[in-house]
């Protein structure tokens, strides 16, 4: 039996037959380990209403519903409006801006490598640490999982992934071909990792699924259940993906139960932000969101309020609902507290342990904050995209005030009737915001080149800035098979197209850390009959120039072409790719620049 098929055998009700021989073989101790294991599960773009227990009549999620009933269920739990900032806060216990993460692309998603993650702290305390799924906190060393405390990484670095069937993932820096649907694959990998913990060695298993994020590709047996219900294809596919994810949560929980790990394993489940609907579809495609206002990318409740379940049999009060406000910044200090690990860095969050372990805990009044707006990335500003949330009230953008106890849908703006409270929350928010950007500005970290730990660096277009009429594009259809739209800002863009003249170029800021010879290649695709344009790749004042090859490129295929080598010394440089002569109607399409330290 192959370990990679372990989870699929669970699906065939063979779990007991697998687990019992394993226990006998490894001699797993009957007693509990001193410190608890942690299984930390996260969905991607799951809305507050994408679960049966929310009152959604069109979805079937029995395992998540059961987990909720066995858990402490936080009903006012907050995350960021988009993926990467939430992940940064979860792993560091800090507001994402403090660790260099402002958004999801263009370098705004890269975690400051000096930040201390929960994985680093838990590994130092003797935990096995593994991440299985979506990283989305940097594409290059040292802002990578294996450099930030995760001993085992199977997944992908970017904020999206195109091929959900038989995906070629990454395993600790190397390509890792797999078979099956991606959510199933990641579940199998997580189970294998947990299964391999021996002699009472505790594990921290972080499982950030990429479902139900686009592309909305899902096995047909899940999709057929939702067709012909008048939901719209997007909603049908999201619900199908959620039901597959729910099934996998069931496999994970069954594994913990059958292996005897259940009683000493903390299980946490949440989503990274709210759903996305209306930006790419009309009202007929909007899905049930339990009455919350708006969606992903916004600081209204529909964008930042998530389900949060925490289970630890015999330690947490089960089937308990907690309405006290809490947030992603609290997860790290909570887990460290529960695992009796002393934090080695300051955090913005607080430990939720009393709310989890006590039936009637004493608590305190606090205010949570958010700051997110796409229009403010280049020049940070307090508004728009700013909120202050107390237990009862929520201030938005300095001119909106909502009583969420009476109005969870944020329909009635109370600002005019309660100007003093509005001003008080605005003052609190501005005081908090002033601590995020010392000096009042923010700079994206340059891409680091030349580390011995990562001699090959692949630099993707969306981390750079395009000039002229270049367009970022990619596969963003429902199925991940069709080319949809272009993104001038680089959001979700896989490659650069529409390269028509010498006026087009793309630049990146890089930093060379060690003197050496560096080989430069570019990953290109060229329309048939347009080969032969002269393309220059420059790093600072040095450059390489060569023609787009004619015979080496097949129509429609990508090819990594060696452009030559440069001698570089430590320092910060601008990397630029530009055409100096155009041979045909279009120069090429650019997939990446690869720099190898020789």
């Amino acid at each position: 039996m192959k370990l990679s098929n372990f989870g699929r055998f669970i699906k065939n009700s063979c779990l007991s037959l697998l687990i019992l021989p394993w226990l006998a073989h490894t001699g797993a101790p009957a007693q509990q380990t001193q410190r608890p294991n942690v299984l930390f599960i996260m969905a991607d773009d799951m809305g507050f209403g994408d679960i049966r227990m929310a009152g959604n009549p069109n979805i079937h999620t029995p395992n998540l519903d059961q987990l909720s009933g066995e858990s402490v269920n936080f009903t006012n739990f907050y995350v960021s409006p988009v993926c990467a900032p939430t992940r940064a806060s979860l792993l560091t216990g800090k507001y994402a801006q403090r660790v260099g993460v402002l958004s999801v692309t263009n370098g705004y998603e890269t975690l400051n490598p000096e930040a201390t993650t929960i994985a680093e702290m838990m590994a130092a305390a003797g935990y096995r640490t593994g991440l299985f799924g979506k990283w989305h906190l940097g594409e290059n060393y040292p802002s990578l999982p294996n450099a930030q405390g995760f001993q085992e990484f199977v997944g992908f670095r970017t904020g999206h992934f195109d091929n959900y069937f038989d995906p070629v993932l990454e395993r600790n820096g190397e390509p890792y071909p797999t078979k099956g649907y991606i959510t199933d694959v990641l579940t199998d990998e997580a189970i294998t990792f947990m299964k391999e913990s021996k002699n009472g060695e505790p594990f921290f298993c972080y499982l950030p699924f990429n479902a139900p994020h686009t592309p909305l590709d899902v096995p047909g047996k899940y999709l057929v259940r939702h067709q012909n219900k008048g939901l719209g294809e997007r909603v049908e596919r999201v619900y199908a993906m959620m039901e597959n994810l729910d099934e996998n949560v069931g496999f994970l929980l069954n594994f913990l139960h059958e292996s005897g790990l259940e009683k000493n394993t903390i299980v946490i489940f949440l989503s990274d932000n709210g759903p996305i609907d209306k930006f790419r579809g009309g009202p007929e495609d909007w899905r049930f969101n339990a009455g919350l206002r708006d969606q992903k990318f916004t600081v209204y409740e529909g964008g930042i309020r998530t389900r949060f379940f925490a289970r630890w049999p015999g330690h947490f009060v089960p089937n308990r609902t907690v309405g006290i406000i809490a947030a992603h910044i609290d997860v790290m200090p909570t887990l460290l507290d529960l695992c009796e690990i002393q934090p080695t860095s300051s955090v913005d969050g607080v430990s939720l342990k009393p709310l989890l372990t006590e039936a009637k805990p004493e608590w305190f009044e606090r205010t949570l904050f958010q700051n997110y707006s796409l229009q403010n990335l280049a020049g940070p500003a307090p508004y728009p995209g700013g909120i202050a949330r107390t237990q009862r009230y929520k201030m938005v953008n300095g001119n909106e005030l909502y009583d969420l106890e009476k109005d969870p849908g944020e329909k009635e703006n109370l600002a005019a009737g309660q100007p003093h409270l509005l001003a008080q929350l605005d003052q609190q928010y501005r005081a908090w915001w002033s601590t995020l950007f010392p000096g009042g500005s923010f700079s994206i970290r340059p891409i680091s080149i030349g580390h011995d730990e990562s001699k090959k660096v692949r630099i993707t277009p969306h981390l750079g800035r395009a000039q002229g009429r270049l367009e970022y594009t990619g596969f963003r259809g429902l199925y991940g098979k069709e080319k949809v739209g272009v993104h001038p800002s680089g959001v979700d863009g896989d490659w650069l197209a529409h390269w028509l003249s010498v006026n087009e170029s793309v630049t990146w800021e890089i930093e060379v850390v060690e003197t050496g010879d560096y080989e430069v290649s570019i990953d290109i695709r060229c329309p048939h009959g347009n080969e032969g344009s002269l393309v220059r790749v420059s790093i600072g004042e040095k450059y390489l120039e060569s023609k787009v090859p004619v015979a080496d490129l097949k129509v429609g295929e990508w090819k990594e072409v060696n452009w030559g080598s440069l001698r570089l010394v430590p320092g910060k440089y601008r990397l630029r790719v530009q055409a100096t002569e155009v041979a045909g109607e279009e120069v090429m399409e650019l997939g990446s620049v690869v720099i190898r330290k020789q």
Side-chain angles (χ1 to χ4, degrees), residues 181-217:
Y181 183 61
I182 190 167
T183 306
D184 303 338
V185 168
L186 295 173
T187 298
D188 290 348
E189 293 291 338
I191 289 175
T192 298
F193 172 79
M194 293 186 289
K195 175 179 177 290
E196 290 174 346
S197 291
K198 299 176 182 178
N199 301 321
E201 182 183 25
F203 59 76
F204 173 65
C205 182
Y206 176 38
L207 182 52
F209 289 119
N210 54 312
H213 193 287
T214 54
L216 305 181
D217 213 353

Side-chain angles (χ1 to χ4, degrees), residues 216-414:
L216 305 181
D217 213 353
V218 64
K221 67 177 182 179
Y222 301 97
L223 181 59
V224 70
R225 303 172 188 171
H226 297 283
Q227 293 175 327
N228 303 316
K229 293 183 180 180
L231 297 174
E233 188 175 13
R234 288 182 59 85
V235 179
E236 291 172 357
R237 289 181 170 275
V238 167
Y239 288 173
M241 294 173 80
M242 278 302 306
E243 292 188 358
N244 169 266
L245 186 151
D246 178 84
E247 186 176 273
N248 278 280
V249 168
F251 302 148
L252 291 160
L253 299 180
N254 285 340
F255 165 77
L256 293 177
H257 177 73
E258 296 291 340
S259 66
L261 295 171
E262 180 179 68
K263 291 185 178 180
N264 202 42
T265 300
I266 299 168
V267 177
I268 288 177
F269 177 87
L270 78 164
S271 178
D272 61 349
N273 47 249
I276 180 168
D277 289 315
K278 74 179 182 182
F279 295 116
R280 299 183 183 179
E284 71 277 3
D285 287 329
W286 294 11
R287 63 191 195 253
F288 177 82
N289 206 20
L292 300 186
R293 177 178 173 178
D294 229 314
Q295 59 181 315
K296 179 179 178 178
F297 288 107
T298 78
V299 291
Y300 293 105
E301 295 293 281
I304 61 175
R305 192 166 153 197
T306 183
R307 298 290 171 183
F308 183 88
F309 310 144
R311 187 191 79 171
W312 188 10
H315 297 268
F316 296 170
V317 181
N319 196 23
R320 178 165 175 259
T321 298
V322 173
I324 292 172
I325 59 172
H328 46 20
I329 55 175
D330 301 327
V331 171
M332 175 180 172
T334 300
L335 288 175
L336 292 178
D337 191 7
L338 293 167
C339 297
E340 299 181 353
I341 298 173
Q342 189 66 32
T344 57
S345 65
S346 61
V347 295
D348 290 311
V350 299
S351 173
L352 304 175
K353 181 178 178 180
L355 300 177
L356 295 167
T357 59
E358 301 174 23
K360 295 182 179 180
E362 293 185 4
W363 202 242
F364 60 96
E365 180 67 30
R366 66 190 296 210
T367 304
L368 297 172
F369 303 99
Q370 288 278 4
N371 173 262
Y372 180 78
S373 174
L374 284 171
Q375 72 185 63
N376 291 338
L377 293 180
Y383 299 127
I387 72 163
R389 168 67 153 108
T390 68
Q391 184 60 44
R392 180 172 179 178
Y393 293 98
K394 178 179 175 182
M395 181 278 300
V396 181
N397 292 332
N399 56 17
E400 298 174 49
L401 182 68
Y402 301 99
D403 182 345
L404 294 185
E405 287 187 0
K406 297 180 179 179
D407 179 26
E410 298 171 291
K411 297 178 180 178
E412 183 180 0
N413 184 359
L414 305 177

